[in-house]
Amino acid sequence: MIVVISQPMFVPWLGLFEQIGLADVFVHYDDVKRPGGGSFMTRVQIKTEQGSRWLSAPIDKQRSDWLIAETFLQADRGWRDQHLDLIRQNYRDAPHFELMYELAERIYGYDGDDLSGFNRYATELVAGWLEFNTQFALSSELAIPGSGSQRVVDTCRHFNATEYVTGHGALDYLDHELFEANDIRVSYIDYALTPYAQLHGEFTPYVSILDAIANVGHGTRDLMTSSCVGWREFAVRRGA
């Protein structure tokens, strides 16, 4: 049983969907403090003729608290229309534009202004389109107490996980020995960053998955060729 846990990201890049594809259970980690600044909770890049550009979702600071689950987007839907306009302008010449844009319209049509809900809806909509069989869960509904590595371990144990797959940033804070003490293997995804034909110049993998869908269509899943490595090997590679 493989578990992946991630804060709910805004119309995320292909790499997150690779993790979802590897997982039996994917947990949206929403009852933790929202990262400050321009985090991937509220923004993502697309490609334009002028280079990569951020699509940023505006936070309603008056209604929002510190947790991701308590964060609200601005109710004025003008920013959503602006995002869709930018997506349409910059991808209308892509070979699978109509396929991608139908998904984009469904994403931005989310009937709510809670950040966690918007991000979860977008992620699960695309995961369904990719025909993943991953089970999704929400940490705020699991109500597992604690913090840090212990809470992640307890969440994995809740699902009887034998393996926890995570992204690169976790190397700096994860207590790997604690996972091993609970018979849970920790693996880091080794991103292949498989190139594909893109519009607007040199290839970059660090853009919303909408870019891949617009350019590759139903071949998007074939781009997901990343594998995983154990945490000790990954630490050696990173010089940790």
Side-chain angles (χ1 to χ4, degrees):
M1 174 69 72
I2 298 175
V3 168
V4 172
I5 302 173
S6 174
Q7 295 174 354
M9 297 184 184
F10 186 76
V11 199
W13 76 304
L14 188 144
L16 183 72
F17 288 96
E18 291 192 281
Q19 292 188 52
I20 294 172
L22 291 169
D24 296 297
V25 176
F26 181 93
V27 180
H28 298 285
Y29 209 39
D30 72 328
D31 54 349
V32 292
K33 184 177 178 181
R34 183 181 75 251
S39 78
F40 294 116
M41 306 304 104
T42 57
R43 66 177 191 166
V44 72
Q45 292 186 93
I46 61 169
K47 290 193 72 179
T48 77
E49 291 182 354
Q50 292 75 40
S52 295
R53 173 169 177 167
W54 290 102
L55 298 180
S56 298
I59 298 298
D60 186 334
K61 295 181 180 179
Q62 291 186 337
R63 289 194 297 153
S64 299
D65 212 328
W66 292 106
L67 299 183
I68 295 172
E70 299 169 342
T71 300
F72 292 90
L73 300 165
Q74 288 185 8
D76 181 354
R77 300 177 75 89
W79 66 269
R80 302 193 195 199
D81 294 336
Q82 183 186 47
H83 283 198
L84 285 171
D85 284 343
L86 287 168
I87 291 168
R88 182 173 57 252
Q89 291 169 16
N90 290 286
Y91 288 100
R92 59 191 174 194
D93 294 328
H96 302 279
F97 167 74
E98 292 184 2
L99 180 64
M100 178 276 289
Y101 196 70
E102 188 271 336
L103 280 172
E105 287 185 312
R106 291 174 64 188
I107 288 169
Y108 282 94
Y110 172 70
D111 186 20
D113 53 10
D114 56 316
L115 174 65
S116 176
F118 184 101
N119 289 358
R120 288 185 285 113
Y121 175 74
T123 297
E124 294 183 25
L125 178 66
V126 175
W129 181 84
L130 290 166
E131 299 183 344
F132 289 150
N133 294 317
T134 309
Q135 173 189 344
F136 289 94
L138 188 60
S139 64
S140 58
E141 293 180 352
L142 296 174
I144 295 172
S147 61
S149 293
Q150 184 63 61
R151 189 181 184 205
V152 175
V153 166
D154 290 342
T155 301
C156 288
R157 291 178 61 194
H158 176 84
F159 293 103
N160 297 314
T162 56
E163 183 175 3
Y164 174 59
V165 173
T166 187
H168 296 183
L171 184 66
D172 298 327
Y173 61 81
L174 210 62
D175 184 346
H176 301 89
E177 286 81 4
L178 179 62
F179 282 82
E180 291 185 340
N182 285 273
D183 297 319
I184 302 169
R185 182 169 62 255
V186 177
S187 299
Y188 284 82
I189 189 164
D190 186 16
Y191 295 115
L193 306 179
T194 304
Y196 58 90
Q198 288 179 327
L199 301 178
H200 313 310
E202 190 173 329
F203 173 75
T204 175
Y206 304 112
V207 289
S208 171
I209 193 168
L210 295 177
D211 183 277
I213 296 172
N215 287 294
V216 183
H218 289 291
T220 298
R221 188 165 173 172
D222 295 335
L223 301 174
M224 300 181 182
T225 59
S226 297
S227 57
C228 292
V229 296
W231 73 266
R232 285 187 172 83
E233 178 182 347
F234 184 72
V236 170
R237 291 186 188 182
R238 294 284 294 269

